[in-house]
Amino acid sequence: MKKITLPLAVATLFCSATASSAELAYIDQARLHDIADAISAQRIEQDIRTLVGFGTRHTLSDTTSDTRGIGAARRWIKQEFDKISAACGNCLEVYYQSATISGEKRIPDATEVVSVIAIQRGITDPERYLIMSGDIDSRVSDVMNATSDSPGANDNASGVAGTIEAARVLSQYRFNGSIVYAALSGEEQGLFGGKIMAEQAQKDGWRIKAVLNNDMIGNIEGINGVINNTTARIFAEGTRQTETEAEARSRRFTGGEVDSPSRNLARYIDLIADRYIENLDTMVIYRLDRFGRGGHHRPFNDLGYPGVRIMETNENYNRQHQDLRTEDGIKYGDTIDGVNFDYAAKLTALNATSLASMAWAPNPPVNVSIKGAVQPSTTLSWNALNAEQNPHLAGYKIYWRYTDAPQWQFSRFVGNVTSFTLDNVVIDNYFFGVASVSKDGYESPVVFPGAAGAFGE
Protein backbone atom coordinates (compact mmCIF):
# COMPACT_ATOMS: atom_id res chain seq x y z
CA MET A 1 0.00 0.00 0.00
CA LYS A 2 1.32 3.42 -0.95
CA LYS A 3 1.88 5.71 2.02
CA ILE A 4 0.19 9.12 1.72
CA THR A 5 1.74 12.08 3.55
CA LEU A 6 -0.51 15.07 4.21
CA PRO A 7 0.57 18.56 5.29
CA LEU A 8 0.56 18.75 9.09
CA ALA A 9 -2.40 21.14 9.30
CA VAL A 10 -4.52 19.04 6.98
CA ALA A 11 -3.46 15.78 8.59
CA THR A 12 -4.48 17.14 11.97
CA LEU A 13 -7.75 18.35 10.54
CA PHE A 14 -8.46 14.92 9.00
CA CYS A 15 -7.52 12.95 12.11
CA SER A 16 -9.48 15.19 14.44
CA ALA A 17 -12.59 14.97 12.30
CA THR A 18 -12.58 11.19 11.97
CA ALA A 19 -11.43 10.38 15.49
CA SER A 20 -14.10 12.46 17.19
CA SER A 21 -17.26 11.24 15.48
CA ALA A 22 -17.12 14.00 12.86
CA GLU A 23 -17.34 16.88 15.34
CA LEU A 24 -16.02 20.20 14.07
CA ALA A 25 -12.24 20.38 13.76
CA TYR A 26 -10.34 23.59 13.10
CA ILE A 27 -6.70 24.63 12.78
CA ASP A 28 -5.92 27.75 14.79
CA GLN A 29 -4.13 30.36 12.68
CA ALA A 30 -1.48 32.44 14.45
CA ARG A 31 -1.49 35.09 11.72
CA LEU A 32 -5.16 35.83 12.35
CA HIS A 33 -4.44 36.44 16.03
CA ASP A 34 -1.64 38.79 14.96
CA ILE A 35 -3.99 40.70 12.66
CA ALA A 36 -6.61 41.06 15.39
CA ASP A 37 -3.98 42.33 17.84
CA ALA A 38 -2.63 44.86 15.32
CA ILE A 39 -5.88 46.82 14.97
CA SER A 40 -5.46 50.13 16.80
CA ALA A 41 -8.28 51.86 18.67
CA GLN A 42 -6.11 54.97 18.85
CA ARG A 43 -5.73 55.20 15.07
CA ILE A 44 -9.45 54.59 14.62
CA GLU A 45 -10.19 57.41 17.06
CA GLN A 46 -7.89 59.77 15.17
CA ASP A 47 -9.61 58.98 11.89
CA ILE A 48 -13.11 59.39 13.31
CA ARG A 49 -12.13 62.76 14.78
CA THR A 50 -10.73 63.84 11.42
CA LEU A 51 -13.94 62.86 9.62
CA VAL A 52 -16.10 64.60 12.22
CA GLY A 53 -13.92 67.68 11.77
CA PHE A 54 -15.23 68.23 8.25
CA GLY A 55 -18.44 69.59 9.81
CA THR A 56 -20.84 67.84 7.48
CA ARG A 57 -20.32 65.05 4.97
CA HIS A 58 -23.78 65.29 3.44
CA THR A 59 -23.87 64.02 -0.15
CA LEU A 60 -25.10 67.43 -1.35
CA SER A 61 -22.62 69.44 0.74
CA ASP A 62 -19.65 71.54 -0.39
CA THR A 63 -17.16 69.78 -2.68
CA THR A 64 -14.66 72.62 -3.18
CA SER A 65 -13.63 73.53 0.37
CA ASP A 66 -10.46 71.98 1.77
CA THR A 67 -11.86 71.91 5.30
CA ARG A 68 -15.61 71.36 5.15
CA GLY A 69 -18.02 69.10 3.28
CA ILE A 70 -17.96 65.78 1.53
CA GLY A 71 -15.41 66.89 -1.05
CA ALA A 72 -12.78 67.54 1.59
CA ALA A 73 -13.68 64.28 3.35
CA ARG A 74 -13.30 62.07 0.30
CA ARG A 75 -10.01 63.73 -0.69
CA TRP A 76 -8.66 63.05 2.79
CA ILE A 77 -9.78 59.41 2.61
CA LYS A 78 -8.00 58.96 -0.71
CA GLN A 79 -4.87 60.52 0.75
CA GLU A 80 -4.97 58.01 3.60
CA PHE A 81 -5.31 55.08 1.21
CA ASP A 82 -2.45 56.53 -0.86
CA LYS A 83 -0.26 56.72 2.27
CA ILE A 84 -1.08 53.13 3.14
CA SER A 85 -0.23 52.07 -0.40
CA ALA A 86 3.10 53.91 -0.32
CA ALA A 87 3.99 52.15 2.93
CA CYS A 88 3.42 48.71 1.38
CA GLY A 89 5.27 49.28 -1.88
CA ASN A 90 2.26 50.59 -3.80
CA CYS A 91 0.27 47.44 -3.04
CA LEU A 92 -3.08 49.23 -3.33
CA GLU A 93 -4.84 50.50 -6.44
CA VAL A 94 -6.55 53.66 -5.20
CA TYR A 95 -9.11 55.56 -7.22
CA TYR A 96 -12.33 57.55 -7.17
CA GLN A 97 -15.47 55.88 -8.48
CA SER A 98 -18.34 58.15 -9.44
CA ALA A 99 -21.55 58.69 -11.36
CA THR A 100 -23.85 61.66 -11.74
CA ILE A 101 -27.26 61.17 -10.12
CA SER A 102 -30.30 63.37 -10.69
CA GLY A 103 -34.08 63.26 -10.66
CA GLU A 104 -34.20 61.29 -7.41
CA LYS A 105 -36.31 62.22 -4.40
CA ARG A 106 -33.23 62.83 -2.27
CA ILE A 107 -30.94 63.93 -5.14
CA PRO A 108 -33.20 66.06 -7.34
CA ASP A 109 -30.45 68.03 -9.07
CA ALA A 110 -27.47 66.61 -10.93
CA THR A 111 -24.89 65.59 -8.31
CA GLU A 112 -21.69 63.62 -8.69
CA VAL A 113 -21.69 60.82 -6.13
CA VAL A 114 -18.04 59.94 -5.50
CA SER A 115 -16.69 56.95 -3.56
CA VAL A 116 -13.08 56.05 -2.77
CA ILE A 117 -11.91 52.53 -3.63
CA ALA A 118 -8.64 50.77 -2.76
CA ILE A 119 -7.88 47.30 -4.16
CA GLN A 120 -5.24 44.97 -2.73
CA ARG A 121 -4.72 42.45 -5.54
CA GLY A 122 -4.46 38.75 -4.78
CA ILE A 123 -1.34 36.95 -5.93
CA THR A 124 -2.92 33.81 -7.42
CA ASP A 125 -6.62 34.65 -7.86
CA PRO A 126 -6.85 38.43 -8.34
CA GLU A 127 -10.34 38.31 -9.86
CA ARG A 128 -11.81 36.85 -6.66
CA TYR A 129 -12.92 39.81 -4.52
CA LEU A 130 -13.72 40.31 -0.85
CA ILE A 131 -15.06 43.77 0.02
CA MET A 132 -15.12 45.76 3.25
CA SER A 133 -17.05 49.02 3.16
CA GLY A 134 -18.14 52.01 5.21
CA ASP A 135 -20.23 55.07 4.29
CA ILE A 136 -18.71 58.54 3.95
CA ASP A 137 -21.86 60.65 4.07
CA SER A 138 -23.76 61.96 7.11
CA ARG A 139 -27.10 63.67 7.74
CA VAL A 140 -29.25 65.47 10.33
CA SER A 141 -33.01 65.33 10.89
CA ASP A 142 -33.87 66.78 7.48
CA VAL A 143 -32.34 64.43 4.94
CA MET A 144 -32.04 67.33 2.47
CA ASN A 145 -30.16 69.63 4.88
CA ALA A 146 -26.66 69.83 3.40
CA THR A 147 -25.36 72.81 5.38
CA SER A 148 -25.96 72.23 9.11
CA ASP A 149 -23.29 70.52 11.18
CA SER A 150 -23.67 66.76 10.83
CA PRO A 151 -20.75 65.08 12.64
CA GLY A 152 -21.78 61.52 11.75
CA ALA A 153 -19.30 60.19 14.29
CA ASN A 154 -20.82 56.74 14.61
CA ASP A 155 -23.00 56.87 11.47
CA ASN A 156 -20.76 56.36 9.76
CA ALA A 157 -17.31 57.75 10.42
CA SER A 158 -16.81 54.62 12.53
CA GLY A 159 -17.29 52.33 9.54
CA VAL A 160 -15.00 54.38 7.29
CA ALA A 161 -12.32 54.58 9.99
CA GLY A 162 -12.56 50.83 10.49
CA THR A 163 -12.15 50.25 6.76
CA ILE A 164 -9.06 52.46 6.62
CA GLU A 165 -7.58 50.74 9.67
CA ALA A 166 -8.20 47.30 8.18
CA ALA A 167 -6.33 48.43 5.07
CA ARG A 168 -3.38 49.60 7.19
CA VAL A 169 -3.04 46.21 8.85
CA LEU A 170 -3.92 43.83 6.00
CA SER A 171 -1.72 45.67 3.50
CA GLN A 172 1.27 44.26 5.40
CA TYR A 173 0.35 40.77 4.15
CA ARG A 174 -0.11 39.14 0.76
CA PHE A 175 -3.19 37.09 -0.03
CA ASN A 176 -4.37 34.70 -2.71
CA GLY A 177 -7.63 36.56 -3.34
CA SER A 178 -8.14 40.32 -3.68
CA ILE A 179 -9.39 42.53 -0.85
CA VAL A 180 -11.25 45.77 -1.60
CA TYR A 181 -11.55 48.65 0.88
CA ALA A 182 -14.45 50.93 -0.06
CA ALA A 183 -15.57 54.28 1.35
CA LEU A 184 -18.97 54.68 -0.29
CA SER A 185 -20.98 57.88 -0.77
CA GLY A 186 -24.67 58.59 -1.10
CA GLU A 187 -25.91 56.02 1.41
CA GLU A 188 -28.27 58.35 3.22
CA GLN A 189 -29.68 59.62 -0.07
CA GLY A 190 -30.53 56.19 -1.48
CA LEU A 191 -27.60 53.72 -1.33
CA PHE A 192 -26.14 55.22 -4.51
CA GLY A 193 -22.46 54.57 -3.83
CA GLY A 194 -23.16 50.88 -3.34
CA LYS A 195 -25.34 50.75 -6.45
CA ILE A 196 -22.62 52.37 -8.55
CA MET A 197 -19.95 49.99 -7.25
CA ALA A 198 -22.07 46.83 -7.49
CA GLU A 199 -23.19 47.57 -11.04
CA GLN A 200 -19.64 48.36 -12.16
CA ALA A 201 -18.34 45.19 -10.53
CA GLN A 202 -20.94 43.17 -12.40
CA LYS A 203 -19.98 44.83 -15.70
CA ASP A 204 -16.31 44.12 -15.02
CA GLY A 205 -16.99 40.47 -14.17
CA TRP A 206 -15.78 40.61 -10.58
CA ARG A 207 -16.18 37.29 -8.78
CA ILE A 208 -17.38 38.78 -5.49
CA LYS A 209 -17.46 36.23 -2.64
CA ALA A 210 -18.17 38.54 0.30
CA VAL A 211 -19.31 42.09 1.02
CA LEU A 212 -18.84 43.19 4.62
CA ASN A 213 -20.78 46.41 5.08
CA ASN A 214 -19.84 48.23 8.28
CA ASP A 215 -22.49 50.75 9.23
CA MET A 216 -22.32 52.01 12.83
CA ILE A 217 -19.69 49.97 14.67
CA GLY A 218 -18.91 52.31 17.57
CA ASN A 219 -21.93 52.69 19.86
CA ILE A 220 -22.35 50.57 23.00
CA GLU A 221 -25.10 52.57 24.79
CA GLY A 222 -28.54 51.63 23.49
CA ILE A 223 -31.75 53.63 23.58
CA ASN A 224 -33.06 50.59 25.46
CA GLY A 225 -30.78 51.38 28.41
CA VAL A 226 -28.38 48.52 27.68
CA ILE A 227 -24.64 49.26 27.76
CA ASN A 228 -22.72 46.36 26.23
CA ASN A 229 -19.42 46.16 24.38
CA THR A 230 -19.37 42.37 24.05
CA THR A 231 -21.93 41.72 21.29
CA ALA A 232 -22.44 42.65 17.64
CA ARG A 233 -24.96 41.85 14.94
CA ILE A 234 -24.48 40.34 11.50
CA PHE A 235 -27.51 40.88 9.27
CA ALA A 236 -27.84 38.38 6.42
CA GLU A 237 -30.67 37.87 3.95
CA GLY A 238 -32.16 34.47 3.24
CA THR A 239 -33.34 33.51 -0.23
CA ARG A 240 -31.25 35.23 -2.87
CA GLN A 241 -32.94 38.22 -4.54
CA THR A 242 -32.04 36.92 -8.02
CA GLU A 243 -33.63 33.49 -7.55
CA THR A 244 -35.60 32.31 -10.59
CA GLU A 245 -39.00 30.61 -10.51
CA ALA A 246 -37.38 27.30 -11.41
CA GLU A 247 -34.84 27.67 -8.61
CA ALA A 248 -37.63 28.50 -6.15
CA ARG A 249 -39.51 25.34 -7.13
CA SER A 250 -36.38 23.27 -6.59
CA ARG A 251 -35.66 24.91 -3.24
CA ARG A 252 -39.15 24.05 -2.02
CA PHE A 253 -38.23 20.36 -2.14
CA THR A 254 -34.52 20.48 -1.28
CA GLY A 255 -34.27 23.33 1.25
CA GLY A 256 -31.92 26.29 1.30
CA GLU A 257 -34.09 29.08 2.73
CA VAL A 258 -31.59 29.63 5.53
CA ASP A 259 -28.47 28.69 3.54
CA SER A 260 -28.03 31.50 1.05
CA PRO A 261 -24.38 32.48 0.48
CA SER A 262 -25.03 35.56 2.63
CA ARG A 263 -26.19 33.37 5.52
CA ASN A 264 -23.18 31.08 5.24
CA LEU A 265 -20.92 34.12 5.01
CA ALA A 266 -22.49 35.31 8.28
CA ARG A 267 -21.93 31.90 9.90
CA TYR A 268 -18.30 32.08 8.82
CA ILE A 269 -17.81 35.50 10.42
CA ASP A 270 -19.62 34.31 13.55
CA LEU A 271 -17.10 31.48 13.96
CA ILE A 272 -14.19 33.84 13.32
CA ALA A 273 -15.47 35.99 16.19
CA ASP A 274 -15.53 32.97 18.49
CA ARG A 275 -12.01 31.96 17.56
CA TYR A 276 -10.12 35.23 17.26
CA ILE A 277 -11.92 38.20 18.82
CA GLU A 278 -11.77 38.26 22.59
CA ASN A 279 -14.95 39.00 24.51
CA LEU A 280 -17.18 39.29 21.45
CA ASP A 281 -20.31 37.28 20.70
CA THR A 282 -21.93 37.92 17.35
CA MET A 283 -25.62 37.47 16.63
CA VAL A 284 -26.51 36.31 13.12
CA ILE A 285 -29.78 38.06 12.30
CA TYR A 286 -31.91 36.28 9.70
CA ARG A 287 -32.94 39.47 7.93
CA LEU A 288 -31.49 41.64 5.16
CA ASP A 289 -31.15 44.58 7.55
CA ARG A 290 -32.90 46.16 10.50
CA PHE A 291 -36.67 46.02 10.23
CA GLY A 292 -37.77 47.98 7.17
CA ARG A 293 -34.38 49.70 6.81
CA GLY A 294 -31.41 49.37 4.47
CA GLY A 295 -27.65 49.60 4.07
CA HIS A 296 -24.95 49.56 1.44
CA HIS A 297 -24.73 45.75 1.24
CA ARG A 298 -28.22 45.68 -0.27
CA PRO A 299 -27.22 46.82 -3.78
CA PHE A 300 -24.79 43.88 -3.89
CA ASN A 301 -27.45 41.48 -2.59
CA ASP A 302 -29.80 42.85 -5.26
CA LEU A 303 -27.38 41.55 -7.92
CA GLY A 304 -26.98 38.17 -6.21
CA TYR A 305 -23.66 38.74 -4.44
CA PRO A 306 -23.11 37.50 -0.86
CA GLY A 307 -23.26 40.48 1.49
CA VAL A 308 -23.87 41.17 5.17
CA ARG A 309 -24.13 44.14 7.50
CA ILE A 310 -21.90 44.18 10.59
CA MET A 311 -22.89 46.61 13.32
CA GLU A 312 -23.47 47.32 16.99
CA THR A 313 -26.21 45.44 18.87
CA ASN A 314 -27.85 48.27 20.82
CA GLU A 315 -28.59 51.35 18.74
CA ASN A 316 -29.23 54.81 20.17
CA TYR A 317 -31.79 56.60 18.01
CA ASN A 318 -31.15 59.90 19.83
CA ARG A 319 -27.78 59.87 18.10
CA GLN A 320 -28.94 58.89 14.60
CA HIS A 321 -30.13 61.36 11.93
CA GLN A 322 -30.65 64.10 14.49
CA ASP A 323 -30.11 67.87 14.57
CA LEU A 324 -27.58 68.81 17.24
CA ARG A 325 -29.63 69.98 20.21
CA THR A 326 -30.69 69.34 23.81
CA GLU A 327 -34.37 68.92 24.65
CA ASP A 328 -35.85 68.02 28.05
CA GLY A 329 -32.39 67.18 29.27
CA ILE A 330 -31.76 64.75 26.40
CA LYS A 331 -28.79 65.36 24.13
CA TYR A 332 -29.40 64.64 20.46
CA GLY A 333 -26.89 64.23 17.68
CA ASP A 334 -24.22 61.86 16.37
CA THR A 335 -21.23 63.35 18.17
CA ILE A 336 -17.81 62.00 19.02
CA ASP A 337 -18.64 61.37 22.69
CA GLY A 338 -21.08 58.66 21.61
CA VAL A 339 -18.35 56.47 20.11
CA ASN A 340 -16.50 53.75 22.02
CA PHE A 341 -13.20 53.43 20.17
CA ASP A 342 -12.18 50.11 21.72
CA TYR A 343 -15.46 48.62 20.56
CA ALA A 344 -15.00 50.01 17.05
CA ALA A 345 -11.55 48.43 17.04
CA LYS A 346 -13.02 45.10 18.11
CA LEU A 347 -15.47 45.06 15.19
CA THR A 348 -12.74 46.22 12.83
CA ALA A 349 -10.62 43.28 13.98
CA LEU A 350 -13.55 40.97 13.24
CA ASN A 351 -13.66 42.31 9.69
CA ALA A 352 -9.91 42.12 9.17
CA THR A 353 -9.55 38.54 10.41
CA SER A 354 -12.57 37.39 8.39
CA LEU A 355 -11.24 39.01 5.22
CA ALA A 356 -7.76 37.58 5.74
CA SER A 357 -9.06 34.08 6.42
CA MET A 358 -11.19 34.07 3.27
CA ALA A 359 -8.45 35.65 1.14
CA TRP A 360 -5.90 33.03 2.24
CA ALA A 361 -8.41 30.21 1.70
CA PRO A 362 -9.07 28.73 -1.74
CA ASN A 363 -12.10 29.78 -3.76
CA PRO A 364 -15.37 28.40 -2.38
CA PRO A 365 -16.40 25.13 -4.05
CA VAL A 366 -18.26 25.45 -7.35
CA ASN A 367 -21.35 23.60 -8.61
CA VAL A 368 -21.97 21.72 -5.40
CA SER A 369 -24.70 19.11 -5.79
CA ILE A 370 -26.22 16.46 -3.53
CA LYS A 371 -28.11 13.18 -3.82
CA GLY A 372 -29.33 10.52 -1.44
CA ALA A 373 -33.12 10.38 -1.59
CA VAL A 374 -34.47 7.01 -0.33
CA GLN A 375 -30.92 5.89 0.42
CA PRO A 376 -29.04 5.25 3.69
CA SER A 377 -26.17 7.54 2.69
CA THR A 378 -25.61 11.02 1.27
CA THR A 379 -23.32 11.91 -1.63
CA LEU A 380 -22.02 15.40 -2.37
CA SER A 381 -20.21 16.39 -5.57
CA TRP A 382 -18.52 19.54 -6.85
CA ASN A 383 -16.19 20.77 -9.57
CA ALA A 384 -12.44 20.69 -9.18
CA LEU A 385 -11.11 24.21 -8.53
CA ASN A 386 -8.79 25.93 -10.99
CA ALA A 387 -5.27 24.81 -10.04
CA GLU A 388 -3.55 28.02 -11.16
CA GLN A 389 -5.87 30.16 -9.06
CA ASN A 390 -5.72 27.77 -6.09
CA PRO A 391 -2.22 26.24 -5.95
CA HIS A 392 -2.54 26.04 -2.16
CA LEU A 393 -5.62 23.81 -2.24
CA ALA A 394 -5.33 20.73 -0.02
CA GLY A 395 -8.84 19.45 -0.56
CA TYR A 396 -12.42 19.79 0.58
CA LYS A 397 -14.35 19.50 3.81
CA ILE A 398 -17.97 18.39 4.09
CA TYR A 399 -20.13 20.02 6.75
CA TRP A 400 -23.54 19.03 8.02
CA ARG A 401 -25.95 20.03 10.76
CA TYR A 402 -29.44 19.30 12.04
CA THR A 403 -32.00 21.30 10.11
CA ASP A 404 -32.95 23.47 13.09
CA ALA A 405 -29.35 24.17 14.15
CA PRO A 406 -28.05 27.71 13.52
CA GLN A 407 -24.41 26.69 13.02
CA TRP A 408 -22.60 23.79 11.34
CA GLN A 409 -22.19 20.93 13.82
CA PHE A 410 -20.26 18.16 12.07
CA SER A 411 -17.49 18.05 9.50
CA ARG A 412 -15.14 15.72 7.68
CA PHE A 413 -12.11 16.50 5.55
CA VAL A 414 -12.36 14.25 2.49
CA GLY A 415 -9.21 15.14 0.54
CA ASN A 416 -8.72 16.52 -2.95
CA VAL A 417 -11.63 14.75 -4.57
CA THR A 418 -14.75 15.92 -6.38
CA SER A 419 -17.29 13.58 -4.77
CA PHE A 420 -17.74 11.86 -1.44
CA THR A 421 -20.36 9.68 0.20
CA LEU A 422 -21.19 9.94 3.89
CA ASP A 423 -22.23 6.43 4.79
CA ASN A 424 -25.25 6.06 7.06
CA VAL A 425 -25.86 9.80 7.18
CA VAL A 426 -29.43 10.19 5.91
CA ILE A 427 -30.03 13.18 3.64
CA ASP A 428 -33.49 13.91 5.10
CA ASN A 429 -32.22 14.61 8.60
CA TYR A 430 -29.52 17.24 7.97
CA PHE A 431 -28.43 20.21 5.90
CA PHE A 432 -25.10 19.80 4.10
CA GLY A 433 -22.38 21.92 2.56
CA VAL A 434 -18.79 21.86 1.29
CA ALA A 435 -15.81 24.13 2.01
CA SER A 436 -12.44 24.23 0.30
CA VAL A 437 -9.34 23.96 2.50
CA SER A 438 -5.80 25.26 1.95
CA LYS A 439 -2.64 23.32 2.75
CA ASP A 440 -2.18 25.35 5.92
CA GLY A 441 -5.78 24.93 7.04
CA TYR A 442 -7.58 28.09 5.91
CA GLU A 443 -11.15 27.36 4.86
CA SER A 444 -13.62 29.02 2.54
CA PRO A 445 -17.20 29.67 3.60
CA VAL A 446 -19.43 26.60 3.40
CA VAL A 447 -21.37 26.23 0.16
CA PHE A 448 -24.86 24.74 0.36
CA PRO A 449 -25.74 22.49 -2.61
CA GLY A 450 -27.61 23.90 -5.57
CA ALA A 451 -28.46 27.39 -6.74
CA ALA A 452 -29.77 28.46 -3.33
CA GLY A 453 -26.33 28.28 -1.75
CA ALA A 454 -23.97 28.91 -4.64
CA PHE A 455 -21.16 31.45 -4.32
CA GLY A 456 -20.60 31.44 -8.09
CA GLU A 457 -17.56 30.51 -10.13
Side-chain angles (χ1 to χ4, degrees):
M1 179 182 292
K2 182 179 179 181
K3 183 177 180 181
I4 299 176
T5 302
L6 294 172
L8 178 59
V10 176
T12 304
L13 205 155
F14 177 81
C15 294
S16 298
T18 55
S20 59
S21 301
E23 293 179 358
L24 291 184
Y26 179 79
I27 301 301
D28 190 70
Q29 302 291 347
R31 285 188 294 183
L32 297 185
H33 289 291
D34 292 340
I35 287 169
D37 292 342
I39 298 296
S40 168
Q42 181 179 8
R43 288 194 297 261
I44 289 172
E45 177 180 356
Q46 291 172 348
D47 290 347
I48 293 175
R49 290 187 181 279
T50 298
L51 288 164
V52 167
F54 292 113
T56 178
R57 302 186 307 278
H58 193 282
T59 299
L60 308 181
S61 63
D62 192 334
T63 61
T64 59
S65 170
D66 291 331
T67 58
R68 184 176 178 84
I70 196 166
R74 67 196 182 210
R75 288 189 291 275
W76 174 81
I77 293 167
K78 185 176 184 299
Q79 290 170 3
E80 288 303 300
F81 281 139
D82 285 337
K83 290 178 185 177
I84 294 167
S85 184
C88 63
N90 297 318
C91 72
L92 301 181
E93 301 171 24
V94 185
Y95 59 93
Y96 292 119
Q97 183 178 71
S98 66
T100 299
I101 306 297
S102 64
E104 298 287 343
K105 182 178 180 180
R106 296 186 177 185
I107 306 182
D109 301 322
T111 301
E112 190 177 23
V113 175
V114 183
S115 300
V116 188
I117 312 296
I119 302 175
Q120 184 176 349
R121 293 284 176 187
I123 55 177
T124 65
D125 193 5
E127 297 307 312
R128 170 165 60 101
Y129 293 92
L130 308 163
I131 300 171
M132 179 181 179
S133 69
D135 309 317
I136 302 175
D137 57 316
S138 62
R139 59 164 287 192
V140 289
S141 301
D142 178 0
V143 72
M144 301 302 293
N145 182 343
T147 57
S148 294
D149 281 350
S150 177
N154 187 47
D155 184 15
N156 188 30
S158 65
V160 173
T163 302
I164 294 171
E165 177 63 8
R168 289 193 186 101
V169 173
L170 295 182
S171 61
Q172 303 307 306
Y173 298 84
R174 295 294 176 266
F175 301 97
N176 296 87
S178 295
I179 299 176
V180 182
Y181 313 97
L184 301 173
S185 288
E187 193 263 354
E188 302 289 4
Q189 306 307 112
L191 310 178
F192 287 104
K195 290 177 183 178
I196 294 165
M197 185 179 183
E199 290 171 2
Q200 188 62 51
Q202 186 180 59
K203 290 178 183 177
D204 294 341
W206 283 20
R207 291 167 35 238
I208 298 176
K209 304 304 174 184
V211 177
L212 278 54
N213 173 37
N214 288 258
D215 196 343
M216 295 187 289
I217 61 170
N219 178 70
I220 65 170
E221 301 179 17
I223 195 74
N224 55 2
V226 174
I227 300 177
N228 190 332
N229 66 353
T230 66
T231 63
R233 294 180 291 180
I234 309 170
F235 286 89
E237 73 168 353
T239 304
R240 198 194 303 255
Q241 173 71 11
T242 55
E243 183 181 64
T244 66
E245 289 185 12
E247 290 168 349
R249 285 195 297 271
S250 175
R251 177 175 51 78
R252 184 183 181 194
F253 295 99
T254 61
E257 295 84 357
V258 294
D259 277 278
S260 66
S262 294
R263 290 273 168 88
N264 278 315
L265 171 60
R267 291 187 179 101
Y268 188 96
I269 299 168
D270 178 57
L271 287 178
I272 290 289
D274 292 341
R275 292 161 176 159
Y276 296 103
I277 311 301
E278 293 184 7
N279 203 26
L280 181 66
D281 181 36
T282 55
M283 303 165 54
V284 176
I285 308 294
Y286 284 5
R287 187 178 288 131
L288 172 64
D289 208 313
R290 298 152 305 159
F291 198 86
R293 303 174 73 181
H296 251 149
H297 57 301
R298 194 180 82 193
F300 293 91
N301 290 151
D302 287 346
L303 298 182
Y305 296 121
V308 298
R309 177 180 184 143
I310 298 173
M311 68 176 300
E312 62 210 27
T313 301
N314 299 288
E315 297 181 63
N316 193 322
Y317 308 122
N318 293 340
R319 298 172 180 172
Q320 294 178 19
H321 305 172
Q322 295 284 349
D323 291 336
L324 301 180
R325 68 195 192 281
T326 300
E327 292 180 358
D328 299 326
I330 299 174
K331 182 179 178 182
Y332 293 87
D334 189 0
T335 53
I336 195 76
D337 56 325
V339 179
N340 184 290
F341 306 111
D342 289 332
Y343 180 72
K346 189 183 294 189
L347 298 199
T348 299
L350 174 62
N351 279 264
T353 50
S354 298
L355 291 166
S357 182
M358 287 186 283
W360 272 321
N363 191 66
V366 175
N367 288 335
V368 178
S369 61
I370 191 169
K371 62 182 181 180
V374 298
Q375 297 178 28
S377 302
T378 299
T379 298
L380 290 108
S381 303
W382 52 90
N383 291 0
L385 290 179
N386 182 294
E388 292 184 1
Q389 295 172 343
N390 303 278
H392 56 319
L393 174 72
Y396 303 88
K397 191 174 179 182
I398 293 177
Y399 280 85
W400 64 103
R401 71 181 196 272
Y402 290 111
T403 61
D404 61 349
Q407 262 291 3
W408 297 104
Q409 297 171 296
F410 316 104
S411 67
R412 181 171 179 179
F413 180 76
V414 298
N416 195 359
V417 297
T418 57
S419 183
F420 191 84
T421 298
L422 295 170
D423 292 328
N424 298 317
V425 179
V426 178
I427 194 172
D428 297 325
N429 298 342
Y430 303 91
F431 286 149
F432 299 84
V434 184
S436 56
V437 184
S438 74
K439 293 174 182 176
D440 47 5
Y442 289 98
E443 298 185 23
S444 75
V446 177
V447 180
F448 186 84
F455 277 73
E457 295 295 324

